[in-house]
Amino acid sequence: MFLDLGVSEAKLKACTRLLCAILKSNYVKGKNIRYKLISSPIGGGKMASMSQETAQKLFEEGAVLLFLDVPPGTEFGIDYTTWNTGEKFKGVKMIPAGIHFVHYSAVSLTQGDKAPRTGFFHCFGSREVLVKRWDPSLEDIRDEEVTSEEIEEKRNTLKELDPFLGVYPYDNFKKWVSLTNEITKDLVQKISPLCGKIASAAQLVPDDASRTTSDRAKLKERDEGSRSAEQNLPRMHSKPGTALRFSEIPMQSYPEGASPAEITRHSMDRSFTLSSLLAAHYDKEPQRILGEIQVAFICFLIGQVYDAFEQWKQLVALLCSCETAISEYGPLYSAFIQMMHFQLKEIPADFFVDIVSRDNFLTSTLRTFFQNIRSSEADEPLKEKCRRFQQNLTKKYRWDFESEPDDEAPIIVEL
């Protein structure tokens, strides 16, 4: 039995496509290593391979995440690695300083059911000790902040806790850095939900006008015959404080007082929209928009958040549909190409193929981008970097960026 909350057919198809792609992705196939923590913190898994020098440095300078009172079998992960916890699990040690994404899901050991994934970003400092406690009634971590006194108490017992801590999976650290190098602590605080936790399943609450069953019955009686069955369903919205706070892309793509010709030009070259977005959110540091794209990418690839997937697509499409801005924001676009190079390594080739039309969002978007680069006034090093990027994608995925799409080809009319 399904509860219809009025989700559009297009969004439902997109959600289905996202889920199928995640299930087919390298994340499940094995590049995102899954360990099982049964009798010890690293159980049947393998130790992260690292040099003795690196291990010694992380042992002395690395951070520690204490994840206490977690039931055995809970799915727990940090960055690109996921475990199923065992009875002795109490957290992870030797975490390199910087931005990391911690995620978890409650698991029913009797039925094998798994709750939707929840996670949070945290910027770990050198030798930091972060303490989180599990609340069995919520099947989630507790919202109450752990006091500084308790943190110091746990710090003093790290030697006794050490046998129960898993080692940070250093094998995937270089890949993690390549996917998050533009993300800063301030940016994470700006985008993360006010509640501090990022949930893959939207937390919905009913609108005031249709809060209870009796309210809906009264509305039905009042509007009998004038409302469809779908309109009689409860009206829902996201619970305040639980949504990701991404930047809003300006709706108006042209300046006030623009002529029809200028409106057409700004619709084809969205540089004005990009400049408006950067002025509103990243005025002094335009390259920080890449950090937002990376946050969205991590949230949909690892956090499994559909809204993050949509934000990622919209920001990528915006940057690719500009021509004038390419020469104005040269360093931004150079870093954008590098960022896309690493992100596309983690996505299956058919991830963005539309189920109905079979059109590929990425090939069409990047085709426009490559055309804009060629016709822009960008410097030659940037154009050469773009050419190498295009050649690499063509070789790896066999994507055709040169052929003219059927819907853009000229129509021949016989007279």
Side-chain angles (χ1 to χ4, degrees), residues 154-216:
K154 294 300 181 185
R155 185 188 296 276
N156 294 332
T157 60
L158 284 180
K159 187 175 181 179
E160 290 77 15
L161 292 172
D162 187 77
F164 310 110
L165 302 176
V167 178
Y168 177 84
Y170 195 76
D171 288 345
N172 289 322
F173 183 58
K174 285 186 178 179
K175 178 189 294 185
W176 177 252
V177 171
S178 71
L179 296 173
T180 59
N181 64 306
E182 299 286 353
I183 301 177
T184 63
K185 181 179 180 180
D186 291 343
L187 188 64
V188 164
Q189 293 175 341
K190 172 181 179 293
I191 296 176
S192 293
L194 291 174
C195 68
K197 291 182 286 189
I198 300 168
S200 61
Q203 301 180 49
L204 302 176
V205 293
D207 292 352
D208 291 339
S210 59
R211 185 177 297 278
T212 65
T213 302
S214 59
D215 290 335
R216 293 196 297 275

Side-chain angles (χ1 to χ4, degrees), residues 187 190-191 243-253 270 272-282 289 292 307 310-312 314-315 318:
L187 188 64
K190 172 181 179 293
I191 296 176
L244 285 159
R245 296 174 292 166
F246 289 122
S247 302
E248 291 189 13
I249 299 176
M251 297 295 293
Q252 184 167 314
S253 60
R270 300 179 66 194
F272 176 81
T273 303
L274 176 61
S275 296
S276 299
L277 174 64
L278 295 176
H281 299 280
Y282 304 113
I289 192 175
E292 178 167 342
D307 286 344
E310 284 297 303
Q311 181 72 5
W312 183 86
Q314 290 182 47
L315 289 178
L318 175 60

Side-chain angles (χ1 to χ4, degrees), residues 74-364:
T74 299
E75 184 179 276
F76 166 81
I78 181 169
D79 301 342
Y80 240 71
T81 305
T82 304
W83 294 271
N84 286 99
T85 60
E87 294 180 358
K88 296 183 178 181
F89 175 77
K90 294 190 181 298
V92 179
K93 61 183 177 181
M94 299 169 66
I95 302 172
I99 296 291
H100 295 277
F101 185 68
V102 179
H103 46 95
Y104 51 88
S105 298
V107 176
S108 170
L109 295 180
T110 56
Q111 299 182 11
D113 295 333
K114 186 173 68 173
R117 177 166 292 180
T118 304
F120 60 90
F121 284 99
H122 185 78
C123 185
F124 284 90
S126 178
R127 300 184 182 183
E128 179 182 358
V129 176
L130 178 66
V131 181
K132 297 291 182 182
R133 287 189 177 277
W134 189 262
D135 187 331
S137 63
L138 297 175
E139 292 190 333
D140 199 346
I141 57 175
R142 296 180 182 176
D143 293 327
E144 298 83 7
E145 291 290 334
V146 178
T147 64
S148 57
E149 290 78 9
E150 185 176 359
I151 291 175
E152 283 305 309
E153 179 186 339
K154 294 300 181 185
R155 185 188 296 276
N156 294 332
T157 60
L158 284 180
K159 187 175 181 179
E160 290 77 15
L161 292 172
D162 187 77
F164 310 110
L165 302 176
V167 178
Y168 177 84
Y170 195 76
D171 288 345
N172 289 322
F173 183 58
K174 285 186 178 179
K175 178 189 294 185
W176 177 252
V177 171
S178 71
L179 296 173
T180 59
N181 64 306
E182 299 286 353
I183 301 177
T184 63
K185 181 179 180 180
D186 291 343
L187 188 64
V188 164
Q189 293 175 341
K190 172 181 179 293
I191 296 176
S192 293
L194 291 174
C195 68
K197 291 182 286 189
I198 300 168
S200 61
Q203 301 180 49
L204 302 176
V205 293
D207 292 352
D208 291 339
S210 59
R211 185 177 297 278
T212 65
T213 302
S214 59
D215 290 335
R216 293 196 297 275
K218 292 176 182 178
L219 285 171
K220 184 177 180 180
E221 291 177 5
R222 187 187 69 188
D223 301 321
E224 191 69 38
S226 63
R227 293 165 61 91
S228 65
E230 183 176 340
Q231 289 175 315
N232 284 320
L233 290 170
R235 293 185 291 275
M236 312 290 284
H237 63 273
S238 295
K239 182 179 178 181
T242 63
L244 285 159
R245 296 174 292 166
F246 289 122
S247 302
E248 291 189 13
I249 299 176
M251 297 295 293
Q252 184 167 314
S253 60
Y254 52 86
E256 292 290 343
S259 66
E262 290 172 333
I263 292 174
T264 300
R265 178 169 59 84
H266 286 299
S267 298
M268 297 177 66
D269 178 0
R270 300 179 66 194
S271 297
F272 176 81
T273 303
L274 176 61
S275 296
S276 299
L277 174 64
L278 295 176
H281 299 280
Y282 304 113
D283 187 24
K284 297 181 179 179
E285 300 176 275
Q287 197 162 320
R288 290 187 67 197
I289 192 175
L290 301 182
E292 178 167 342
I293 296 175
Q294 288 184 335
V295 169
F297 185 81
I298 295 300
C299 286
F300 91 73
L301 185 72
I302 300 178
Q304 302 172 1
V305 181
Y306 173 75
D307 286 344
F309 174 63
E310 284 297 303
Q311 181 72 5
W312 183 86
K313 284 178 60 178
Q314 290 182 47
L315 289 178
V316 168
L318 175 60
L319 282 164
C320 288
S321 59
C322 298
E323 180 181 331
T324 307
I326 293 174
S327 57
E328 182 179 355
Y329 301 106
L332 166 63
Y333 273 92
S334 180
F336 173 68
I337 293 173
Q338 180 176 327
M339 181 196 71
M340 292 297 294
H341 168 75
F342 288 114
Q343 289 186 350
L344 295 186
K345 283 184 174 182
E346 308 307 315
I347 303 175
D350 59 349
F351 187 93
F352 294 97
V353 176
D354 187 270
I355 294 173
V356 178
S357 68
R358 305 301 298 172
D359 288 336
N360 188 315
F361 160 79
L362 266 183
T363 55
S364 59

Side-chain angles (χ1 to χ4, degrees), residues 374-385:
R374 286 194 293 268
S375 58
S376 73
E377 297 180 0
D379 57 34
E380 190 55 35
L382 178 57
K383 289 187 176 183
E384 176 59 27
K385 187 174 187 177

